[in-house]
Amino acid sequence: MSPTSLAGRLMPDRKLGPIVDVIFNGRGALTPPSKSLNRLWLVEQMVPFDAKLCRSHVFDIEMKSDPDAKPYVDAVPTHPVNIEEYDRLWVPPTGVATAATCATAPAQASGFETGGLSLQQAAALVAQARNAFALASRPRKITVRCKGQKGACGSNPRQTLASIDWSALGSVEQVNPRGEPYYVGDRKPADAPWGPAHVQFTFPYAAAGATWMVTVDRKPAIAAARMDAQWAIYE
């Protein structure tokens, strides 16, 4: 059946948009092949979130077999027992979010994670960074430091920062002053009324195959940006 029909079968009580991608048991190289379906993800088509960002619902569905099934005979997962929903935002290359531009988002790899931030807060941080990084007629006073192999920083790091493809953004998250993420159990400082002081933007494979990790210091305007091109493998 089609992805949208599958979503209707698994979640008949939900009003859904078109489903553009289905992930069975995970997609990474570390996921072994299987004839049994234990978990799947359904990705809804992107729609406008605000004037410049698109939004998609993703459904993480855990499957179980019928309680009356006979083990080793017909104990195949047949119905969902737990459904978790989360949202992803995406920056269309045109910079304008419309139904048409949002629908062009790549089905399998579009949208960024918000790292525990609300969608509104993540959207505001992205908008601030895009404005701060852009090369305007009156350049903003931002200190830019860059580190990367194979000439990733270019001859002008400020220009390199301005040319980053925001549609490749993979995540936005609050980090500590050293640019390191907070883990479960870590004590986070209280945010100022204008939000976190240190935020990291991750762009997988956007640095000529490496990943751009761009960490900004906010006061609340962005005063400094640290760019680091890191090599990583994503599963």
Side-chain angles (χ1 to χ4, degrees):
M1 64 181 65
S2 70
T4 299
S5 297
L6 175 61
R9 179 74 64 86
L10 296 174
M11 299 181 290
D13 299 329
R14 300 200 186 203
K15 184 177 180 180
L16 303 170
I19 303 298
V20 296
D21 194 25
V22 184
I23 305 169
F24 298 106
N25 291 338
R27 182 183 280 126
L30 299 180
T31 302
S34 173
K35 295 182 179 179
S36 181
L37 178 62
N38 301 300
R39 183 178 294 273
L40 71 154
W41 290 260
L42 301 176
V43 183
E44 200 174 45
Q45 181 175 289
M46 289 277 178
V47 296
F49 174 73
D50 59 21
K52 296 184 178 180
L53 289 175
C54 304
R55 186 222 71 227
S56 173
H57 296 311
V58 180
F59 302 93
D60 179 354
I61 304 175
E62 181 184 0
M63 303 288 290
K64 290 286 187 179
S65 58
D66 191 301
D68 296 327
K70 297 178 181 180
Y72 307 108
V73 177
D74 54 359
V76 176
T78 58
H79 61 281
V81 294
N82 186 50
I83 300 176
E84 295 184 5
E85 176 184 341
Y86 58 92
D87 289 341
R88 295 175 72 87
L89 298 175
W90 182 63
V91 182
T94 61
V96 180
T98 65
T101 58
C102 290
T104 65
Q108 296 185 355
S110 59
F112 59 87
E113 300 176 358
T114 58
L117 301 167
S118 69
L119 295 182
Q120 292 75 15
Q121 190 173 28
L125 290 170
V126 168
Q128 181 190 43
R130 292 182 70 190
N131 290 333
F133 296 172
L135 290 178
S137 57
R138 299 178 61 183
R140 298 168 179 82
K141 295 181 179 179
I142 302 176
T143 301
V144 178
R145 290 183 292 169
C146 187
K147 181 175 66 175
Q149 299 177 353
K150 300 181 181 181
C153 295
S155 59
N156 185 340
R158 185 69 179 84
Q159 178 69 54
T160 301
L161 178 64
S163 63
I164 285 181
D165 179 8
W166 279 91
S167 69
L169 181 63
S171 66
V172 179
E173 64 179 328
Q174 180 182 5
V175 293
N176 64 27
R178 297 183 300 277
E180 300 167 346
Y182 289 100
Y183 297 100
V184 176
D186 290 349
R187 291 188 59 185
K188 287 185 179 180
D191 285 345
W194 38 265
H198 309 284
V199 178
Q200 189 169 84
F201 303 89
T202 303
F203 300 82
Y205 304 126
T211 290
W212 278 125
M213 310 286 288
V214 182
T215 307
V216 299
D217 300 331
R218 307 175 63 240
K219 298 183 177 180
I222 294 177
R226 302 187 299 280
M227 305 172 61
D228 189 2
Q230 299 183 3
W231 290 92
I233 297 176
Y234 297 90
E235 295 293 348

